[in-house]
Amino acid sequence: MRKFRSVVIAVLVAAVALAPQARAQQQPSTNKWAAPKCDIKPGHFLVNSGLLYLKSATETRFEDQKQKDLTAARGVLMQALSTGGQEKNPAAWYYLARYYILIQDLTGADSAFRRAETLKPDCADDIGLWRRYVWIGVFNSGIGAWQASNTDSAMASFRRANAIYQAEPTGFKYLASLLYQAGQLDSAVVYFRRAADIAAKDEKWKQDRRDALFNMARIEHSQKHWAEAQAAYKEYLTVVPNDPEAQASLASVLSQTGQRDSAFAMYRRVIAQGDSAGAMPMFRVGVEIFQAVSDEPDTGKAGGDCRTQARANRLTPVRIKARCDSVTRGMMREYETTAGVTYRLAAEAFEAGLKINPYYRDGLYNLMNAYLQVNDSIHVVPVAQRLVSVDPMNRMSLRLLAFAHQRVGRVDSTLHYLRMADSTLLADVTLSEFDPQDSTARVKGLVTNMRTTAGQPFKLVFEFLNARGEALAKQSTDVPALPAQGTHVFEITVAAKGVVAWRYHKE
């Protein structure tokens, strides 16, 4: 069964930053009265009364007086708009919006500001300043809640922030990310769409637009919304035209919709860019191509439908069998041909990545699986041996080496590595994270005693490698004596530049 790749969300909690404050000389305040920065006059005694009540509510030190003033302000402003004939007076709507800000009703403030700006376009800058000032506080509350893992509160804050200010994409992008994490995929797409559209208005938000479009495409892809995914990838590629992973993803969508010739042509173009694209993009492209292979066709249903139709046409049993067997065999031949070409292209992508970074464990592991799928008996053993040379205590790596020997008919070697993986291995080492940065590199992993008896303590020595396989740094970690089925978590960080891979050995 094919497992679809998880959506890659580009917005991570660790990357979240507080919103920048407005410039000091322009920043409005709710602690003292701030006069409008545009020529907007009350023009009516009820509107002027509303202004005075709001000013008093802002400046008083007493909470009960503030509430009385706010109630009075709302009363006279609503009277002005309902029975006072001031529904066309922009000041009435402007001060009503200021009232809503003071009571933290941002939806009401948004609506009132919209009416005011429509009636008095000259006040757009002042209204925009108020919108962003209020947005900053609510947005940062959402950031704080997100960082504290209070996702419901974070989403509520981002919704409120987005209600008052829609001129920047960040709030919509963050809300979309949280909705995705909550499994609300359709809503996540809607908000990524909003973020992308806003970001398209200014070059400074180009990265936000990239993130939003890519994530939107991945979500549609994961839900098998082929037309929507194709459109989203194409739009993303107008912004980032040479992104190999996005091109491979678009090709996968084309393959799923029967456009296989176009898909294969696009895969080949992407693989040809290997040297310029870099190792990691090519590894991701390989995964994308590998996972583009669809599930095997349901020949049982197709054969059953064929037999039902043949019986209705009164064919003899012999003719029914001949016709329907031909149908199912043809389906499998077509599937196997397409799958074979796809797996071979995936192998080529992994090969292109390993040409640049020959010791990257996941690239070797994935290339091994691709070779097994296409029955590549020439290359399968050498690649499996390279895999085990960097990851010698991982059960799956050892089993892949066993399968490689089995594929070329080496029975003794097959049994040797199967026994090592299943019974004689001291412990199973699994790396959960490899994080190379500009001047540091980190690995995290888990050691598991797979045996039914307690193990012995030992030391793991990790080497952090450059693309030529040279050790730039070395550090060990002590693994204690583990009880049967016991586990030990480890983490190693080293200071080194240019790390692209790792290997380890037991000391």
Side-chain angles (χ1 to χ4, degrees):
M1 179 67 69
R2 171 175 175 266
K3 294 182 179 179
F4 201 87
R5 173 184 173 187
S6 299
V7 176
V8 177
I9 290 296
V11 182
L12 303 176
V13 177
V16 172
L18 298 182
Q21 297 293 324
R23 289 194 297 260
Q25 68 271 25
Q26 292 185 335
Q27 182 170 317
S29 173
T30 52
N31 298 320
K32 62 180 181 179
W33 180 250
K37 298 183 183 302
C38 61
D39 184 20
I40 187 166
K41 296 180 171 59
H44 191 272
F45 74 96
L46 287 173
V47 179
N48 191 62
S49 295
L51 183 164
L52 295 175
Y53 280 126
L54 290 174
K55 184 177 181 182
S56 176
T58 302
E59 296 177 342
T60 183
R61 295 179 296 166
F62 305 105
E63 184 61 27
D64 59 342
Q65 184 61 48
K66 177 179 179 179
Q67 295 306 317
K68 288 178 182 178
D69 287 339
L70 288 174
T71 300
R74 182 184 187 282
V76 294
L77 290 171
M78 294 304 292
Q79 182 183 350
L81 290 166
S82 59
T83 61
Q86 298 303 300
E87 65 275 8
K88 299 294 186 182
N89 182 347
W93 293 107
Y94 176 88
Y95 289 114
L96 181 61
R98 297 280 296 268
Y99 159 78
Y100 281 132
I101 286 174
L102 288 171
I103 66 167
Q104 291 294 299
D105 181 350
L106 303 192
T107 301
D110 172 61
S111 177
F113 271 143
R114 286 181 187 275
R115 296 291 294 272
E117 187 172 343
T118 299
L119 293 166
K120 187 73 171 177
D122 292 347
C123 284
D125 289 344
D126 177 74
I127 290 171
L129 188 64
W130 273 106
R131 285 181 180 276
R132 193 173 192 279
Y133 169 71
V134 176
W135 173 82
I136 286 171
V138 182
F139 177 84
N140 285 339
S141 295
I143 296 300
W146 191 356
Q147 292 175 332
S149 299
N150 298 324
T151 54
D152 288 343
S153 296
M155 282 194 282
S157 291
F158 289 139
R159 288 184 189 278
R160 292 180 63 235
N162 293 338
I164 191 63
Y165 186 63
Q166 301 94 34
E168 295 183 24
T170 319
F172 293 97
K173 189 172 73 167
Y174 287 3
L175 177 57
S177 298
L178 287 170
L179 288 167
Y180 165 75
Q181 293 172 6
Q184 301 178 47
L185 304 187
D186 290 340
S187 295
V189 167
V190 169
Y191 285 101
F192 276 131
R193 176 76 271 170
R194 290 287 303 278
D197 290 344
I198 294 169
K201 298 176 182 178
D202 196 312
E203 186 68 16
K204 68 184 178 183
W205 295 317
K206 187 174 183 178
Q207 186 60 52
D208 294 291
R209 188 181 181 203
R210 291 177 178 179
D211 292 343
L213 289 173
F214 184 79
N215 291 333
M216 186 172 67
R218 296 303 287 166
I219 293 172
E220 298 287 21
H221 195 161
S222 72
Q223 296 186 94
K224 301 183 179 181
H225 297 165
W226 304 127
E228 293 83 356
Q230 181 174 338
Y233 282 130
K234 285 184 175 180
E235 184 177 359
Y236 172 80
L237 286 167
T238 65
V239 181
V240 194
N242 296 317
D243 186 321
E245 188 176 1
Q247 293 179 73
S249 297
L250 175 57
S252 297
V253 172
L254 295 175
S255 178
Q256 294 292 343
T257 55
Q259 304 173 66
R260 293 190 181 93
D261 290 343
S262 296
F264 291 153
M266 185 170 289
Y267 285 144
R268 292 186 178 98
R269 286 198 299 271
V270 173
I271 293 168
Q273 301 169 13
D275 289 343
S276 59
M280 291 308 299
M282 295 313 299
F283 291 138
R284 290 193 291 266
V285 165
V287 172
E288 184 66 48
I289 299 173
F290 191 98
Q291 294 182 334
V293 177
S294 60
D295 296 334
E296 290 187 3
D298 187 351
T299 55
K301 182 180 184 303
D305 292 344
C306 175
R307 287 189 290 274
T308 298
Q309 183 179 5
R311 291 189 192 101
N313 292 334
R314 300 182 181 280
L315 297 182
T316 65
V318 172
R319 293 184 64 188
I320 290 174
K321 184 177 187 307
R323 172 181 293 186
C324 297
D325 285 354
S326 175
V327 168
T328 56
R329 283 196 301 270
M331 290 177 65
M332 284 306 301
R333 278 196 303 270
E334 181 180 1
Y335 168 79
E336 290 168 356
T337 299
T338 301
V341 173
T342 307
Y343 285 131
R344 173 53 66 184
L345 288 168
E348 291 178 12
F350 294 133
E351 289 166 349
L354 288 166
K355 180 181 176 182
I356 303 168
N357 185 358
Y359 299 93
Y360 187 66
R361 185 267 181 191
D362 289 349
L364 292 166
Y365 183 90
N366 289 333
L367 179 58
M368 262 298 303
N369 279 286
Y371 281 160
L372 290 173
Q373 291 290 341
V374 297
N375 294 311
D376 188 331
S377 59
I378 296 175
H379 300 102
V380 68
V381 173
V383 170
Q385 290 170 333
R386 283 171 58 196
L387 172 63
V388 171
S389 73
V390 301
D391 192 18
M393 296 180 66
N394 179 266
R395 292 185 71 206
M396 289 307 302
S397 297
L398 291 167
R399 291 179 68 84
L400 282 177
L401 181 53
F403 296 152
H405 283 296
Q406 182 185 44
R407 193 57 55 93
V408 296
R410 299 173 183 172
V411 177
D412 290 344
S413 295
T414 300
L415 294 175
H416 169 75
Y417 287 108
L418 284 176
R419 279 194 297 268
M420 184 181 294
D422 296 337
S423 58
T424 64
L425 186 64
L426 179 62
D428 178 42
V429 177
T430 303
L431 271 290
S432 59
E433 181 180 331
F434 171 49
D435 182 25
Q437 297 293 329
D438 290 340
S439 58
T440 63
R442 180 180 61 191
V443 292
K444 290 183 179 180
L446 180 72
V447 180
T448 304
N449 179 10
M450 307 300 297
R451 299 180 177 185
T452 57
T453 58
Q456 297 295 318
F458 63 94
K459 190 186 297 288
L460 280 179
V461 180
F462 272 83
E463 296 179 348
F464 295 83
L465 313 175
N466 61 18
R468 294 186 297 275
E470 299 166 342
L472 302 176
K474 182 187 295 187
Q475 188 167 319
S476 64
T477 183
D478 291 319
V479 179
L482 296 174
Q485 307 302 312
T487 61
H488 170 71
V489 177
F490 67 87
E491 178 177 340
I492 297 174
T493 301
V494 297
K497 295 182 178 180
V499 172
V500 297
W502 51 262
R503 64 175 172 238
Y504 65 85
H505 62 271
K506 182 180 73 69
E507 186 175 89

